């Protein structure tokens, strides 16, 4: 079975744009693919934030995903910072990726 991985930042309340842009599709995909959905809280700390509010947003995002139909029996749902492998892999990739190569990537610019 093919796999899907996607994440959402817990930077505030989820809205209709989140629902129609991604979350509605997530619910549909979990019947066809092996899905991994992540609350990317480490990405969220790249902008100014209040630690207490971030923790609340993480909880609210998870609760909303479950309420919208993300089924833990069909999909893996997790918080990015709870898996140290994410930061370990980022460290390894950062040490071997030259800056000029990053400069050619649209996502990096």
């Amino acid at each position: 079975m093919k796999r899907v991985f996607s994440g959402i930042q817990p930077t505030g309340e989820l809205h209709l744009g989140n629902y129609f842009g991604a979350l509605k599709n997530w619910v549909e995909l979990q019947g066809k693919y092996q899905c991994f959905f992540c609350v990317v809280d480490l990405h969220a700390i790249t902008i100014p934030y209040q630690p207490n509010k971030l923790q609340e947003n993480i909880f609210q995002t998870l609760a909303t995903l479950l309420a919208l139909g993300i089924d833990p029996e069909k999909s893996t749902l997790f918080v990015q910072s709870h898996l140290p492998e994410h930061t370990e892999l980022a460290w390894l990739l950062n040490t071997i990726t030259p800056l000029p190569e990053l400069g050619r990537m649209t996502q990096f610019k």
Side-chain angles (χ1 to χ4, degrees), residues 88-101:
E88 290 171 9
L89 180 59
W91 174 260
L92 293 171
L93 293 174
N94 283 334
T95 62
I96 63 170
T97 308
L99 191 57
E101 189 170 330

Side-chain angles (χ1 to χ4, degrees), residues 15-16 22 53-55 75 96 101:
H15 48 75
L16 288 175
K53 184 66 175 166
L54 178 60
Q55 291 304 311
S75 301
I96 63 170
E101 189 170 330

Side-chain angles (χ1 to χ4, degrees), residues 23 41 46 57-58 64 91 99:
L23 303 179
D41 58 332
T46 62
N57 287 346
I58 292 167
T64 302
W91 174 260
L99 191 57

Side-chain angles (χ1 to χ4, degrees), residues 77-94:
L77 180 61
F78 65 98
V79 178
Q80 181 184 29
S81 65
H82 293 190
L83 291 172
E85 293 83 0
H86 273 266
T87 51
E88 290 171 9
L89 180 59
W91 174 260
L92 293 171
L93 293 174
N94 283 334

Side-chain angles (χ1 to χ4, degrees), residues 7-41:
I8 188 164
Q9 288 190 39
T11 52
E13 290 187 27
L14 299 181
H15 48 75
L16 288 175
N18 297 118
Y19 178 73
F20 288 112
L23 303 179
K24 182 178 180 223
N25 293 325
W26 288 13
V27 173
E28 294 171 8
L29 289 171
Q30 61 186 345
K32 303 173 189 171
Y33 301 96
Q34 182 182 16
C35 294
F36 297 87
F37 300 122
C38 178
V39 176
V40 289
D41 58 332

